[in-house]
Amino acid sequence: MSATPAAQTTDGARVVIKVVRYDPDKGAGMREQTWQIHPQPGMTVLDALIAVKEHHDGSLAFRCSCRMGVCGSCGMMVNGKPRLACNTQIIELGPVVEISALPNHDVIKDLVPDLASTFSKHRAVKPYVIRRDAAEMDKPTREFHQTPEDMLGYVQFSYCLKCSLCLAACPTEASTPAFLGPQALAQAYRYSADTRDEGLSDRAQTVDAWHGVFGCHLAGACSEACPKGVDPALGIQLLKRALLFGPPHRTAAPAVPALPEGFRSPGASSVLEPPAPTV
Ligand code: SF4
Ligand code: FES
């Protein structure tokens, strides 16, 4: 099947897939391997990798599950940018597609990053609603109501997939692995801004620190990389404000002007569009 001009090479409708591979069990270092594929309309980078695995080399390792930009497991570097492979169209990438594992992570094999550090940083910020009424939490007698307006205060940050693309893009993460990172810090704000939550002071013990919010230099690369429009850089700045003035729902008079409606950090991506159907 012929490809669109953007995907064609000089020798026809083929795209070169160039993958940086690594297999610790073989004791060898990294190596590059290339294959040529015929792009199909709607084919994603993940589809191309699956085609390579099925037809050329079954040992190629990568992670995926939902194939629709929801599970967050297929993050990798594609032509120099951290992306979800299942949400990246081959025909938009040109005749050569260079793929490697996410930086700022250990590599388990080929394109499979070790996400243990991402998840442990996420856990460190207590990503759940914390309340002081232990008796009520133990034996609930009522619901904790929340209005749609209350939800708007944090819902953008709840779209996080834990895909770790933001950590791969973050320059502070690259130089300072102890930095909590954009994913965890944005989630600290997500729960602290929840009207049901009373846990900011608990989270402050972890996030109000040099390797917490103050490690962020506001490069904004995390928000540019985020495939869900979470805008973690904005979450970090709002968390700084909450640490100074209290969470937004418990601050009687905001000490600083409210953000304009729909405000996003410069470079923040828009919310993920559903991928085109594959064939
Ligand atoms: S903030 Fe965005 S880029 Fe970071 S883990 Fe969540 S969804 Fe992925
Ligand atoms: S496979 Fe689930 S996000 Fe890509």
Side-chain angles (χ1 to χ4, degrees):
M1 191 176 294
S2 63
T4 64
Q8 286 178 333
T9 56
T10 49
D11 59 344
R14 285 187 285 184
V15 167
V16 175
I17 304 287
K18 199 183 279 190
V19 176
V20 176
R21 302 197 61 181
Y22 169 65
D23 186 349
D25 290 342
K26 292 199 172 144
M30 291 189 291
R31 68 192 166 96
E32 205 172 74
Q33 193 167 1
T34 62
W35 298 273
Q36 293 196 355
I37 57 139
H38 294 272
Q40 310 289 318
M43 185 182 236
T44 64
V45 170
L46 180 60
D47 293 330
L49 291 172
I50 290 171
V52 167
K53 190 172 178 73
E54 286 182 350
H55 302 296
H56 299 287
D57 189 338
S59 71
L60 179 64
F62 51 89
R63 201 185 265 133
C64 68
S65 181
C66 70
R67 300 174 67 172
M68 55 192 295
V70 172
C71 72
S73 60
C74 66
M76 54 190 73
M77 294 299 280
V78 180
N79 283 1
K81 290 188 176 170
R83 307 180 198 236
L84 293 180
C86 72
N87 194 51
T88 305
Q89 295 287 309
I90 281 280
I91 59 169
E92 293 171 1
L93 298 170
V96 179
V97 180
E98 297 183 330
I99 308 172
S100 56
L102 289 180
N104 303 342
H105 297 73
D106 290 336
V107 178
I108 295 173
K109 187 183 174 192
D110 293 339
L111 303 173
V112 181
D114 187 344
L115 297 179
S117 164
T118 301
F119 296 144
S120 100
K121 289 175 179 180
H122 178 70
R123 278 194 298 273
V125 302
K126 302 184 192 294
Y128 41 81
V129 170
I130 297 171
R131 296 189 61 87
R132 303 296 169 208
D133 43 359
E136 177 68 22
M137 294 303 285
D138 197 31
K139 291 195 177 150
T141 59
R142 60 191 168 88
E143 294 176 57
F144 297 114
H145 287 152
Q146 195 167 57
T147 66
E149 291 73 31
D150 290 338
M151 203 178 74
L152 286 177
Y154 66 83
V155 70
Q156 160 186 344
F157 303 105
S158 70
Y159 294 145
C160 176
L161 304 174
K162 302 167 198 70
C163 64
S164 222
L165 298 195
C166 52
L167 280 97
C170 174
T172 306
E173 188 75 28
S175 61
T176 314
F179 176 47
L180 272 172
Q183 190 278 334
L185 291 170
Q187 291 312 296
Y189 182 74
R190 175 259 174 268
Y191 285 96
S192 301
D194 191 313
T195 52
R196 299 163 296 185
D197 184 79
E198 300 168 315
L200 178 61
S201 58
D202 295 38
R203 294 185 195 97
Q205 293 168 22
T206 307
V207 303
D208 191 359
W210 184 244
H211 291 318
V213 289
F214 300 109
C216 172
H217 302 163
L218 200 47
C222 55
S223 294
E224 195 176 339
C226 178
K228 294 295 278 185
V230 168
D231 198 352
L234 173 61
I236 296 173
Q237 309 325 306
L238 292 174
L239 183 58
K240 287 178 184 170
R241 185 169 76 175
L243 289 168
L244 283 172
F245 301 110
H249 55 285
R250 296 185 191 279
T251 308
V256 289
L259 291 164
E261 190 179 348
F263 177 84
R264 307 188 77 71
S265 297
S269 60
S270 57
V271 174
L272 176 71
E273 297 293 337
T278 54
V279 291

mmCIF file of all heavy atoms in Angstrom, residues 8 38 50 72 75 101 117 141 153 168-169 218 243 249 264 268 272:
data_model
loop_
_atom_site.group_PDB
_atom_site.id
_atom_site.type_symbol
_atom_site.label_atom_id
_atom_site.label_comp_id
_atom_site.label_asym_id
_atom_site.label_seq_id
_atom_site.Cartn_x
_atom_site.Cartn_y
_atom_site.Cartn_z
ATOM 1 N N GLN A 8 7.366 8.736 2.623
ATOM 2 C CA GLN A 8 8.046 8.016 1.563
ATOM 3 C C GLN A 8 9.544 8.244 1.597
ATOM 4 O O GLN A 8 10.026 9.325 1.896
ATOM 5 C CB GLN A 8 7.493 8.457 0.205
ATOM 6 C CG GLN A 8 6.111 7.883 -0.048
ATOM 7 C CD GLN A 8 5.556 8.362 -1.359
ATOM 8 O OE1 GLN A 8 5.911 9.434 -1.832
ATOM 9 N NE2 GLN A 8 4.687 7.580 -1.952
ATOM 10 N N HIS A 38 6.442 -0.806 5.429
ATOM 11 C CA HIS A 38 5.531 -0.100 4.532
ATOM 12 C C HIS A 38 4.444 0.534 5.391
ATOM 13 O O HIS A 38 3.632 -0.178 5.967
ATOM 14 C CB HIS A 38 4.902 -1.077 3.525
ATOM 15 C CG HIS A 38 5.898 -1.647 2.582
ATOM 16 N ND1 HIS A 38 6.235 -1.043 1.391
ATOM 17 C CD2 HIS A 38 6.663 -2.759 2.662
ATOM 18 C CE1 HIS A 38 7.161 -1.761 0.779
ATOM 19 N NE2 HIS A 38 7.436 -2.811 1.521
ATOM 20 N N ILE A 50 5.125 -3.291 16.538
ATOM 21 C CA ILE A 50 4.465 -4.603 16.598
ATOM 22 C C ILE A 50 4.708 -5.361 15.289
ATOM 23 O O ILE A 50 4.981 -6.570 15.290
ATOM 24 C CB ILE A 50 2.955 -4.430 16.884
ATOM 25 C CG1 ILE A 50 2.755 -3.947 18.328
ATOM 26 C CG2 ILE A 50 2.201 -5.743 16.658
ATOM 27 C CD1 ILE A 50 1.335 -3.533 18.669
ATOM 28 N N GLY A 72 -0.678 4.616 29.458
ATOM 29 C CA GLY A 72 0.585 5.297 29.735
ATOM 30 C C GLY A 72 1.806 4.399 29.694
ATOM 31 O O GLY A 72 2.868 4.784 30.169
ATOM 32 N N GLY A 75 5.522 4.860 26.542
ATOM 33 C CA GLY A 75 6.369 6.040 26.385
ATOM 34 C C GLY A 75 7.753 5.679 25.872
ATOM 35 O O GLY A 75 8.362 4.717 26.344
ATOM 36 N N ALA A 101 14.768 4.284 24.224
ATOM 37 C CA ALA A 101 14.070 4.269 25.518
ATOM 38 C C ALA A 101 14.054 5.669 26.128
ATOM 39 O O ALA A 101 14.879 6.524 25.790
ATOM 40 C CB ALA A 101 14.761 3.294 26.464
ATOM 41 N N SER A 117 11.230 4.176 39.876
ATOM 42 C CA SER A 117 11.505 5.461 40.523
ATOM 43 C C SER A 117 10.319 6.423 40.354
ATOM 44 O O SER A 117 9.946 7.147 41.285
ATOM 45 C CB SER A 117 12.781 6.042 39.914
ATOM 46 O OG SER A 117 12.893 7.385 40.217
ATOM 47 N N THR A 141 -20.531 7.990 57.752
ATOM 48 C CA THR A 141 -21.966 8.179 57.965
ATOM 49 C C THR A 141 -22.570 9.062 56.884
ATOM 50 O O THR A 141 -23.765 9.306 56.873
ATOM 51 C CB THR A 141 -22.207 8.861 59.327
ATOM 52 O OG1 THR A 141 -21.526 10.122 59.321
ATOM 53 C CG2 THR A 141 -21.693 8.001 60.475
ATOM 54 N N GLY A 153 -11.209 22.700 40.049
ATOM 55 C CA GLY A 153 -9.977 23.175 40.672
ATOM 56 C C GLY A 153 -8.817 22.199 40.542
ATOM 57 O O GLY A 153 -7.666 22.576 40.752
ATOM 58 N N ALA A 168 11.086 12.257 31.584
ATOM 59 C CA ALA A 168 12.080 12.087 30.524
ATOM 60 C C ALA A 168 12.468 13.437 29.921
ATOM 61 O O ALA A 168 13.593 13.623 29.461
ATOM 62 C CB ALA A 168 11.536 11.168 29.438
ATOM 63 N N ALA A 169 11.537 14.394 29.924
ATOM 64 C CA ALA A 169 11.796 15.696 29.302
ATOM 65 C C ALA A 169 12.454 16.681 30.262
ATOM 66 O O ALA A 169 13.044 17.669 29.824
ATOM 67 C CB ALA A 169 10.473 16.288 28.802
ATOM 68 N N LEU A 218 11.384 25.804 36.170
ATOM 69 C CA LEU A 218 10.346 26.263 35.248
ATOM 70 C C LEU A 218 10.806 26.245 33.786
ATOM 71 O O LEU A 218 10.563 27.178 33.027
ATOM 72 C CB LEU A 218 9.837 27.657 35.648
ATOM 73 C CG LEU A 218 8.474 28.069 35.095
ATOM 74 C CD1 LEU A 218 7.429 26.993 35.246
ATOM 75 C CD2 LEU A 218 7.999 29.351 35.741
ATOM 76 N N LEU A 243 1.629 26.130 49.176
ATOM 77 C CA LEU A 243 2.506 25.991 50.344
ATOM 78 C C LEU A 243 2.652 27.320 51.079
ATOM 79 O O LEU A 243 2.791 27.366 52.296
ATOM 80 C CB LEU A 243 3.880 25.467 49.908
ATOM 81 C CG LEU A 243 3.900 23.996 49.460
ATOM 82 C CD1 LEU A 243 5.218 23.660 48.763
ATOM 83 C CD2 LEU A 243 3.665 23.051 50.632
ATOM 84 N N HIS A 249 -8.955 25.970 48.172
ATOM 85 C CA HIS A 249 -10.296 25.887 48.747
ATOM 86 C C HIS A 249 -10.311 26.231 50.227
ATOM 87 O O HIS A 249 -11.373 26.309 50.830
ATOM 88 C CB HIS A 249 -10.882 24.489 48.525
ATOM 89 C CG HIS A 249 -10.011 23.381 49.036
ATOM 90 N ND1 HIS A 249 -8.870 22.991 48.380
ATOM 91 C CD2 HIS A 249 -10.101 22.589 50.131
ATOM 92 C CE1 HIS A 249 -8.306 21.983 49.044
ATOM 93 N NE2 HIS A 249 -9.027 21.732 50.107
ATOM 94 N N ARG A 264 -2.603 28.133 30.782
ATOM 95 C CA ARG A 264 -1.690 27.009 30.658
ATOM 96 C C ARG A 264 -0.281 27.568 30.589
ATOM 97 O O ARG A 264 -0.072 28.703 30.161
ATOM 98 C CB ARG A 264 -1.975 26.191 29.390
ATOM 99 C CG ARG A 264 -3.419 25.765 29.268
ATOM 100 C CD ARG A 264 -3.610 24.814 28.115
ATOM 101 N NE ARG A 264 -3.144 23.487 28.449
ATOM 102 C CZ ARG A 264 -3.758 22.674 29.295
ATOM 103 N NH1 ARG A 264 -4.838 23.068 29.905
ATOM 104 N NH2 ARG A 264 -3.295 21.489 29.549
ATOM 105 N N ALA A 268 2.685 24.295 26.953
ATOM 106 C CA ALA A 268 1.901 23.145 27.412
ATOM 107 C C ALA A 268 1.081 22.595 26.262
ATOM 108 O O ALA A 268 0.485 23.344 25.496
ATOM 109 C CB ALA A 268 0.982 23.556 28.550
ATOM 110 N N LEU A 272 -4.922 15.312 25.049
ATOM 111 C CA LEU A 272 -4.691 14.265 24.059
ATOM 112 C C LEU A 272 -5.883 14.083 23.138
ATOM 113 O O LEU A 272 -7.005 13.947 23.576
ATOM 114 C CB LEU A 272 -4.440 12.959 24.811
ATOM 115 C CG LEU A 272 -4.256 11.692 24.010
ATOM 116 C CD1 LEU A 272 -2.928 11.728 23.297
ATOM 117 C CD2 LEU A 272 -4.323 10.493 24.933
#
